[in-house]
Amino acid sequence: MHTAIIKTLEERQRQIHEEGFSAAHDDQYKEGELAECAAAYATAASTSLSISPWPFRYASFNPSDDPQRNIIKAMALLSAEYDRLERAKAATAEAPAEELCYSTDDEWQSGIYDDLTDIIEDRELEEGNTVYIGVKKDAQATHYTGRAAESVIEHMQLQADEEAGEAADDYPLVSLEHARELQTLIDIWATAHCPPDFYTIQNDRAYTLTRADIAKARQESQV
C-alpha cells in the first residue's frame, strides 16, 4: 500500500484517539466544515496558493512547515468527511425489510426455505409442528478478520525467533496504536478484496405452526 495511504490512516487514528475527533464529534459538522479544513491544509502544502478559509477558531489551525504533513492532514480530514456523509446517508435511508427464512431445525442444516408455505408442503408439516424462523443478513468481511493483526504479529515473532533466536526476543515491538493501524489495514483489504457472497442467519426463534398456517399453505398449493 502506498506510503501516503498508510500515513493517512495513522493520522486519522491520531485524530480520533488523541484529539477526540470521534464519529459523534464529526457528525455535528453538517455543513462541510471538515472538507473546508481539508482544503485549508491542502493549500497550506503549496507555496503558490492562498490558504483556504478555516471554518473554526483560527488558533486551531495548525499547519506544518512540511508540505507532505499538511497533505496527510488534508487526506485524513477528507476521510473523516467521507465517513460522516456515509453515516448521514445510512441514517436517512429507508431500512430494508427483513428477509425471513425457515428451517425445521435450529442448526439450519436440514435445508433453508424462503417461504413458510414451501417448508410446510415440502416437509408435510402439520399443526403443532415446530419450525425455526431466522433473518438473513449479508455477511461482512470484517466479521472474519477479528484478531487478525494479533495473529500477524505473533507469526512475525515466531519467524524471528526461529531465524535469530534470543537476538529477536523483543521483536517486533508493537504499540497498541500500531496494532490498531494494522487491524484497520487488514479490515480495509478484506472488505475490498474478499467480500462474502453468502449470508448469515440471525435472531432465529422457534415457531409453532397453527391451523391457519396449514390452511393457508394448502390453499396456496391449490392455486
Side-chain angles (χ1 to χ4, degrees):
M1 185 176 289
H2 196 281
T3 301
I5 301 300
I6 294 175
K7 288 187 175 296
T8 297
L9 290 171
E10 291 177 344
E11 171 60 18
R12 183 63 192 134
Q13 291 300 308
R14 187 196 69 79
Q15 292 174 355
I16 293 171
H17 297 293
E18 294 184 17
E19 303 290 345
F21 297 160
S22 62
H25 169 274
D26 293 346
D27 285 345
Q28 63 184 308
Y29 300 116
K30 306 179 187 301
E31 305 299 326
E33 292 94 334
L34 297 178
E36 292 179 22
C37 290
Y41 277 111
T43 54
S46 172
T47 59
S48 61
L49 294 174
S50 299
I51 295 178
S52 296
W54 182 254
F56 304 116
R57 290 183 298 105
Y58 194 76
S60 63
F61 182 47
N62 188 30
S64 171
D65 293 333
D66 180 358
Q68 289 177 301
R69 177 61 181 157
N70 290 327
I71 290 172
I72 294 302
K73 286 186 175 183
M75 292 171 65
L77 285 162
L78 285 176
S79 174
E81 175 66 357
Y82 182 93
D83 290 343
R84 185 195 68 79
L85 291 171
E86 281 288 286
R87 290 191 297 272
K89 184 188 298 182
T92 57
E94 182 177 349
E98 289 186 340
E99 187 176 357
L100 300 180
C101 54
Y102 306 85
S103 177
T104 55
D105 68 82
D106 198 23
E107 301 299 323
W108 300 89
Q109 299 298 318
S110 62
I112 298 174
Y113 294 80
D114 293 327
D115 186 87
L116 183 60
T117 295
D118 290 342
I119 194 172
I120 291 174
E121 291 182 356
D122 192 52
R123 298 304 178 89
E124 298 181 347
L125 301 178
E126 299 291 342
E127 178 185 353
N129 288 159
T130 297
V131 297
Y132 293 87
I133 305 175
V135 178
K136 289 183 178 180
K137 293 290 186 181
D138 290 336
Q140 302 296 321
T142 51
H143 181 73
Y144 307 104
T145 58
R147 301 185 64 182
E150 181 180 329
S151 297
V152 170
I153 294 168
E154 288 179 355
H155 180 73
M156 293 175 65
Q157 291 170 338
L158 291 172
Q159 289 290 97
D161 182 65
E162 289 180 5
E163 295 183 12
E166 293 182 0
D169 281 350
D170 295 328
Y171 180 83
L173 287 174
V174 180
S175 67
L176 179 59
E177 178 184 353
H178 289 161
R180 286 173 177 165
E181 177 191 334
L182 175 58
Q183 186 64 53
T184 299
L185 291 171
I186 292 171
D187 289 345
I188 292 172
W189 178 88
T191 300
H193 301 295
C194 307
D197 59 356
F198 53 87
Y199 58 82
T200 60
I201 297 171
Q202 302 178 4
N203 303 327
D204 54 321
R205 58 185 174 87
Y207 174 75
T208 301
L209 294 174
T210 66
R211 182 177 302 178
D213 293 326
I214 303 302
K216 180 180 179 182
R218 289 174 179 170
Q219 181 180 12
E220 292 182 358
S221 67
Q222 295 172 0
V223 175

